[in-house]
Amino acid sequence: MSALAGQDQELPQPPPPPRPTLQEVTAAEDRIEELSDSEWESQDSEAQDSDTMATPKITPSEYVRSVTIPIQDKLATGTTEVQDETLEAVLPFLQGNPNDFELNMFGLPTLRKEAHIKFLKHALGRYPSNFAAMDAARPWLLYWSLQGLTALGHDVSEYGERVVSTFAPFQHPTGGFGGGHGQLPHLACSYAATLSLIIVGTPSAYDSINRRTMWHYLGRMKQPDGGFTMCPGGEEDTRGAFIALVIISLLNLPLDLPPDAPARKTGLTTFLDHLGDWIGRCQTFEGGISAAPGNEAHGAYAFCALGCLSIMGAPASTFNKYLDMPRLLHWMTARQSAPEGGFHGRTNKLVDGCYSHWIGGCWPLVEAAGYTNIWNRNALARYILAAAQFKKGGLVDKPGKRPDAYHTCYNLAGLSAAQWRFAYDGGVEVEGEVGKGDLGAAFCWRVEGEWEDQRVWGEGDTVRVVHPVFVVPWGKAEEARRYFEEKEGF
Amino acid sequence: MAPGIFYHDDPAWSDVEPIPQEDGEHPLAAIAYTDEYSEAMSYLRAVMAQNEYSERGLELTEHIINMNPAHYTVWLYRSKTLEEIGADLHAEIKWLNPTALKHLKNYQIWHHRQIIVNKLDSSEGEADFIATMLEQDNKNYHVWSYRQWLVKRFGLFSKPEELQWVEGMIEEDVRNNSAWNHRWFIVMGGRDGKELPEAILKRELDYAKYAIRKAPQNQSPWNYLRGIVRYAKLPLSVLKAFTLEFADLARPDEVFSSHALDTLADIYAEENSQKEEAKKALDLLATKYDPIRANYWNYRKKLLDQPEAVS
Ligand SMILES: [Zn+2]
């Protein structure tokens, strides 16, 4: 589900194929298993000819067995029913290659970059009238597509001018961006628009954002308890807190609340007042983080909360100050589905490719706080490569679902989190001296290199580095911040 | 408005100059709207630009919501209009019910409902409506969040019906984590950290244990059980006898719950002399009972050698 966007995509979809009986599925699985084992052998014999292949390998079926939890309760409920269905849908893809994709040296499908690029370019194109439900989500369609394209190494400068002119009528005279011309401003739209323009990264893209009215608009979202609403009178949740700080930090806006901010009446003076404590109140008895105090712990809201704290200061200091880290780690770890390897968003929910980022993306942030090598990167990469790639391009929630720009963007961002190692250089002189002023913490990251240990992706399957906090191509956030730091006033 | 009639033909709208959508040159991700949608939006832009709050504006929002329920602007304008013209809010709720059922996953509807019910200052009928919604999707995040708002707004924390209802939801699917979270919310959420009365503490411990016995590999009640023990500031050892029912290091081949092993590791870690036992439990998790999380279990093992990190 697309929690950050504030809506689920209810797009027209073909009816699902009839569900096969368990027997049919098991029979099919056996077949695929045999097939994949023999394919494996042929791969292996090729491998023996080459002396570059030294990594010990197990067959896909052995792998699945090796990560399966050998305990199953007898009691069936609605939850186990859909879990069983999901496993039936995913297993053939983990154990074999039903789409006949080209395989990498580890026997997994390669990342089909060209097909995904084609899909995302299409996602930037024209939509038929039955997509009216996306009318308020067009900023997201641009952001997901542009971000996904850059992760795949595609140069998006061809779209630069059109991104700027598309967003021009979305900007509201009172500040912030709406979902289209004449629509009211909203933090979700403001976030997607700002990131898209920063991905474009030209002076005209930067200058198209009215920073002064944006500052005033954000000021109106600040609440007396420290959090932020998504729009005037709208819901207050961790998305609001994250988005507000992302925009303030990237655009280098003043940290003081504007004089007309209603929260000033209750004694607040800056955007950060009570914010850390408010985020802390969102940590639940499970250890995870919810939309707002009292709600259920949820992956997408957890990412927003951790992202917010990563902008407020060095993760090692803000996380430990406002969160119970052992319990957070316990909850985050439990979000990895076994044997699927991908993530789900809440306890007892189903694996879904978008959580590759919502949970997968939490890991670089907690690693920066000093909790390293706790999660299973390879299992996530396996899920993305083997189960989340749609035959004709684009990435999906799970096999059997249709691809969309949202799941494509966030599967790829999750793949970046799995494939790259980051280091946090808090306090250390950063190259170019970006981020010296307020809210500069998220500019102190460094890319250490690729993850190597038992990796299951080949050279061609690597995505470009996605910034762990801002979720834009590596370097773009720094460029934007530098541009706005060098600007005098608004 | 009658079907098939467009606003530009409607005398009731003849005073309004529609504002067509400005899209710039070669817009990206443009939608080829139907004429009906496109025109309705042009009239919406026009009435919004005039700050018009009227009955016909309300009808216009209804028309657009039927075509695109995910349109937050229309919802915001609708709730402002209701307020400005002093509309009948009971009628609004009546209209909302089928609309919400039709668009189950929609976010805006729930926030809108919250605004209306807040103004009505009564939660009457809401519990039943929520139950109907959850019949369709019993883990819907917005519906549960709305229920939590309702409990808080109308002080329903200690209402026996609320606990009974959520117990029914857990009874129906003991793995429904949203229901467990709601139980926590009504039992612990209204207490502001205040001590749990002995009787309630016992009731909650018993309830979580009862649920675990039904399906020991279900993490929801384990999280709940450990949450209560932490809330009550009890040592984890109060769970030792219970946990051993499902995982006992003396019988490493008969483990009925990885979550019991996990809990057992923490129980042993808390007893300083039992670190080796804790490591054994974590080893079993890493190598046999929950191998996908081997890195995490091994990390927990390393922590055992750093005494200060455990406290
Ligand atoms: Zn998803």
Side-chain angles (χ1 to χ4, degrees), chain B residues 6-26:
Chain B
F6 283 84
Y7 292 90
H8 65 261
D9 285 334
D10 189 337
W13 288 89
S14 60
D15 60 315
V16 176
E17 186 61 48
I19 302 176
Q21 178 157 323
E22 191 190 304
D23 246 346
E25 249 181 283
H26 310 300

Side-chain angles (χ1 to χ4, degrees), chain B residues 237-246 267:
Chain B
S237 58
V238 300
L239 299 179
K240 192 168 180 177
F242 175 75
T243 305
L244 285 170
E245 287 178 32
F246 309 97
I267 293 171

Side-chain angles (χ1 to χ4, degrees), chain A residues 215-365:
Chain A
W215 178 58
H216 282 276
Y217 178 68
L218 294 176
R220 292 196 287 279
M221 300 305 116
K222 180 75 179 176
Q223 298 302 302
D225 64 4
F228 291 80
T229 55
M230 293 296 286
C231 59
E235 62 277 16
E236 180 185 11
D237 57 44
T238 60
R239 293 175 306 158
F242 173 59
I243 290 172
L245 262 60
V246 164
I247 295 175
I248 294 168
S249 172
L250 283 175
L251 303 186
N252 197 31
L253 300 177
L255 208 45
D256 284 333
L257 285 169
D260 59 348
R264 275 196 176 270
K265 292 198 190 84
T266 59
L268 273 58
T269 56
T270 84
F271 281 104
L272 297 188
D273 289 351
H274 305 325
L275 180 55
D277 292 320
W278 186 84
I279 296 278
R281 287 173 53 215
C282 295
Q283 186 168 27
T284 81
F285 71 97
E286 292 194 88
I289 304 173
S290 60
N295 299 154
E296 184 184 4
H298 184 294
Y301 295 106
F303 175 79
C304 291
L306 297 182
C308 177
L309 293 177
S310 302
I311 296 172
M312 285 174 68
S317 80
T318 54
F319 287 19
N320 288 308
K321 183 170 177 191
Y322 296 112
L323 300 171
D324 179 336
M325 288 308 288
R327 290 198 301 121
L328 176 68
L329 295 175
H330 185 265
W331 178 82
M332 276 171 56
T333 313
R335 300 286 65 76
Q336 197 149 19
S337 293
E340 294 95 325
F343 289 109
H344 52 264
R346 304 181 252 161
T347 304
N348 281 329
K349 291 277 285 178
L350 304 172
V351 66
D352 175 347
C354 62
Y355 292 102
S356 303
H357 168 69
W358 298 125
I359 295 286
C362 285
W363 283 109
L365 306 181

Side-chain angles (χ1 to χ4, degrees), chain B:
Chain B
M1 201 174 57
I5 296 185
F6 283 84
Y7 292 90
H8 65 261
D9 285 334
D10 189 337
W13 288 89
S14 60
D15 60 315
V16 176
E17 186 61 48
I19 302 176
Q21 178 157 323
E22 191 190 304
D23 246 346
E25 249 181 283
H26 310 300
L28 291 163
I31 300 167
Y33 309 110
T34 60
D35 291 343
E36 185 186 2
Y37 182 82
S38 184
E39 195 193 40
M41 281 303 295
S42 298
Y43 277 80
L44 181 81
R45 275 184 289 270
V47 290
M48 282 178 60
Q50 297 295 321
N51 287 319
E52 175 185 317
Y53 301 107
S54 61
E55 201 63 54
R56 68 175 180 183
L58 214 55
E59 284 166 23
L60 176 60
T61 60
E62 183 174 336
H63 183 200
I64 297 172
I65 284 166
N66 281 330
M67 292 184 279
N68 177 9
H71 213 315
Y72 67 88
T73 296
V74 186
W75 285 105
L76 290 171
Y77 175 64
R78 183 175 178 90
S79 73
K80 178 91 173 139
T81 303
L82 291 167
E83 187 186 332
E84 294 286 333
I85 67 174
D88 174 6
L89 297 183
H90 290 286
E92 180 68 2
I93 291 287
K94 253 195 206 131
W95 172 75
L96 266 181
N97 287 353
T99 310
L101 273 170
K102 211 161 81 196
H103 307 288
L104 218 53
K105 295 225 161 178
N106 182 278
Y107 213 74
Q108 282 80 18
I109 292 180
W110 291 98
H111 190 70
H112 184 73
R113 191 173 190 100
Q114 187 173 317
I115 294 169
I116 306 298
V117 170
N118 188 42
K119 289 219 181 83
L120 277 172
D121 200 23
S122 156
S123 65
E124 212 195 307
E126 288 306 283
D128 289 343
F129 180 68
I130 288 171
T132 318
M133 288 295 290
L134 291 179
E135 271 168 34
Q136 319 290 315
D137 174 8
N138 64 2
K139 298 179 180 180
N140 187 307
Y141 199 79
H142 311 309
V143 180
W144 284 102
S145 300
Y146 175 66
R147 183 90 181 199
Q148 277 131 33
W149 172 81
L150 212 63
V151 167
K152 202 170 162 200
R153 167 67 176 79
F154 296 100
L156 311 176
F157 289 105
S158 51
K159 225 178 147 210
E161 291 92 326
E162 190 67 15
L163 188 65
Q164 259 165 33
W165 171 74
V166 81
E167 213 157 290
M169 293 299 293
I170 295 174
E171 203 63 37
E172 203 177 284
D173 186 346
V174 73
R175 298 180 180 93
N176 186 342
N177 197 62
S178 304
W180 283 99
N181 181 75
H182 193 69
R183 185 176 179 111
W184 179 278
F185 181 72
I186 55 178
V187 176
M188 256 66 73
R191 314 195 68 80
D192 264 337
K194 282 196 298 284
E195 206 179 310
L196 214 51
E198 197 63 37
I200 295 182
L201 173 64
K202 185 176 180 313
R203 182 191 74 194
E204 294 306 303
L205 290 173
D206 286 348
Y207 187 75
K209 288 177 182 175
Y210 152 81
I212 288 170
R213 287 204 172 93
K214 280 182 162 182
Q217 188 53 26
N218 171 17
Q219 194 169 28
S220 296
W222 282 102
N223 283 346
Y224 192 84
L225 184 68
R226 297 186 55 172
I228 300 165
V229 169
R230 193 181 314 108
Y231 187 96
K233 300 192 175 68
L234 296 171
L236 264 179
S237 58
V238 300
L239 299 179
K240 192 168 180 177
F242 175 75
T243 305
L244 285 170
E245 287 178 32
F246 309 97
D248 190 334
L249 297 181
R251 292 189 300 278
D253 290 328
E254 288 171 48
V255 169
F256 300 102
S257 168
S258 66
H259 311 302
L261 261 184
D262 173 11
T263 307
L264 199 60
D266 277 338
I267 293 171
Y268 284 133
E270 239 179 49
E271 302 169 7
N272 263 328
S273 58
Q274 304 283 341
K275 294 233 165 119
E276 287 312 308
E277 305 298 299
K279 282 183 189 171
K280 271 185 214 158
L282 293 167
D283 269 336
L284 276 176
L285 284 162
T287 58
K288 183 165 181 188
Y289 288 106
D290 194 19
I292 204 164
R293 275 165 277 279
N295 288 342
Y296 173 67
W297 306 122
N298 290 331
Y299 159 80
R300 289 255 302 266
K301 252 171 69 182
K302 265 187 265 162
L303 286 184
L304 291 169
D305 297 326
Q306 310 167 342
E308 73 279 16
V310 176
S311 65

